[in-house]
Amino acid sequence: MRAARLIKMVLLLQSRPSMTAAELARELEVSERTITRDAQALSEAGVPVYADRGRAGGYRLVGGYRTRLTGLARGEAEALFLSGVPGALREMGLEDASSAARLKVSAALLPSLRDASRTAAQRFHLDAPGWFQEPQTPELLPAVAEAVWDDLVVRVRYRRQDSEVERELEPYGLVLKAGVWYLAARVRGGDAFRVYRIDRFTSVAAGDEHFVRAEGEDAFDLPGFWEERAAQFARALLRAEVVVRLTAAGVRQLPYATDRASAREAMESAGAAGPDGRVTVTLPVESEDVAYTQLMALGPEAEVLAPEGLRERFALAARRMRGWYG
């Protein structure tokens, strides 16, 4: 336990110029007193850990000290090779750089672990695009990816409905969602971050001007930003409501037929089941047309009560099906 913590402490200090005792304690989930003891233990073991005193002080490694990767366990080595997504790297134009990096890591591993890339590839493959979709790589993705990696300001033209707009952007991060590439960026001179679909860019031009990313607590959190924005987007789509009475089977099937979050919200606010065992829920939906398609999948396990127009559509569908099946 302590040995693993000491190795992680060295790797943390190796990846940053210096870290305070509080920062190390937070990363390693121990007390600052434990950090002091661990730093002393590393120093006694020959690892050149130096403590800077004062308010701006902290711990750092002296003389460009670097540890080798020979301490990796097999599971850790395989997880390392799983961290690359070959298809996505290829689309961003980073396949050659990724291949070179993997070769260097393999060369640094113990001989017994050098097959980790092969064993990992045998056991895991990410197929990002959804079913029944022909994956298409946006033509301008490599240019956008290069600007993201180099923190370069870009001037872009972007299709928005029936027109094109021109923006000067600070490109912060790329997201691949169900086969579609998105850019999280900030308009030059602004504060708010926005999301752009890469396949809607018609031109991308990067100059020599760099933007500066915030560090520490103010650093841009791409996974957190995307999670929040995706949730906002999903909620914004649900602009209508339908009232549905569900059987027990309908309750179980609802999350698979409609948006999972809206199904969960509907069930959490539902009342008790009636004498016939059915539950009445108010379900947020994108539109009546979408609700018709989704709820039709539940068949006799769902009865639409409102709005009246949607109920009439289901009644008509039921009469037509009765005519077919008798």
Side-chain angles (χ1 to χ4, degrees):
M1 180 73 176
R2 189 189 185 198
R5 188 176 71 241
L6 291 174
I7 292 173
K8 186 174 181 181
M9 182 174 175
V10 173
L11 293 174
L12 285 169
L13 293 174
Q14 184 174 296
S15 65
R16 306 179 194 181
S18 68
M19 294 183 70
T20 65
E23 290 172 336
L24 284 167
R26 186 165 55 250
E27 289 279 357
L28 300 174
E29 299 180 346
V30 295
S31 67
E32 292 186 33
R33 181 171 296 180
T34 299
I35 293 299
T36 302
R37 289 197 297 266
D38 286 353
Q40 180 65 31
L42 287 171
S43 181
E44 292 173 356
V47 178
V49 178
Y50 181 78
D52 292 314
R53 307 296 178 184
R55 293 182 59 188
Y59 292 94
R60 59 185 175 86
L61 295 175
V62 179
Y65 177 86
R66 310 290 292 178
T67 185
R68 302 186 66 182
L69 293 176
T70 51
L72 283 176
R74 168 163 293 278
E76 294 169 330
E78 291 175 341
L80 177 64
F81 285 105
L82 284 179
S83 64
V85 185
L89 292 170
R90 183 172 56 251
E91 292 181 9
M92 288 189 289
L94 298 174
E95 186 175 26
D96 290 343
S98 171
S99 177
R102 291 161 73 92
L103 285 173
K104 290 178 181 178
V105 172
S106 294
L109 292 172
L110 289 172
S112 60
L113 298 180
R114 287 178 185 166
D115 65 341
S117 62
R118 178 181 58 81
T119 57
Q122 289 174 339
R123 290 162 173 80
F124 179 81
H125 172 68
L126 175 65
D127 184 9
W131 287 105
F132 312 116
Q133 294 180 4
E134 193 68 32
Q136 294 184 344
T137 303
E139 182 180 349
L140 296 173
L141 176 61
V144 176
E146 184 176 354
V148 170
W149 288 116
D150 294 337
D151 296 340
L152 288 172
V153 176
V154 292
R155 183 173 293 278
V156 305
R157 291 190 65 81
Y158 185 79
R159 288 195 308 274
R160 192 170 63 183
Q161 296 179 345
D162 297 329
S163 63
E164 284 192 3
V165 295
E166 188 171 292
R167 293 284 186 270
E168 195 174 39
L169 301 178
E170 297 175 352
Y172 271 74
L174 290 165
V175 174
L176 176 61
K177 169 69 172 177
V180 180
W181 284 94
Y182 297 89
L183 172 68
R186 186 164 60 181
V187 176
R188 189 69 165 155
D191 295 324
F193 287 92
R194 303 179 183 181
V195 175
Y196 300 86
R197 278 185 60 146
I198 303 295
D199 58 7
R200 292 181 183 170
F201 285 135
T202 58
S203 70
V204 175
D208 299 325
E209 184 181 3
H210 294 263
F211 64 93
V212 179
R213 293 173 180 261
E215 298 292 342
E217 294 182 357
D218 296 327
F220 178 64
D221 176 16
L222 179 59
F225 167 79
W226 179 259
E227 182 179 4
E228 180 181 352
R229 188 55 59 91
Q232 290 175 354
F233 178 74
R235 286 195 299 270
L237 288 176
L238 306 177
R239 296 185 293 266
E241 289 183 343
V242 298
V243 181
V244 187
R245 186 178 290 138
L246 301 167
T247 65
V251 169
R252 292 193 299 271
Q253 296 170 19
L254 185 64
Y256 302 100
T258 65
D259 175 73
R260 287 179 180 269
S262 61
R264 183 174 61 251
E265 177 184 329
M267 294 309 306
E268 288 174 351
S269 59
D276 58 357
R278 295 192 295 170
V279 178
T280 300
V281 301
T282 300
L283 180 69
V285 294
E286 184 175 345
S287 66
E288 288 190 21
D289 286 339
V290 171
Y292 177 79
T293 302
Q294 292 176 336
L295 295 176
M296 184 62 75
L298 299 181
E301 312 303 334
E303 177 191 1
V304 174
L305 304 180
E308 186 60 32
L310 183 60
R311 180 178 173 85
E312 290 176 358
R313 290 178 67 178
F314 272 88
L316 175 61
R319 289 194 294 270
R320 292 175 62 192
M321 293 181 70
R322 182 179 181 182
W324 293 336
Y325 293 103

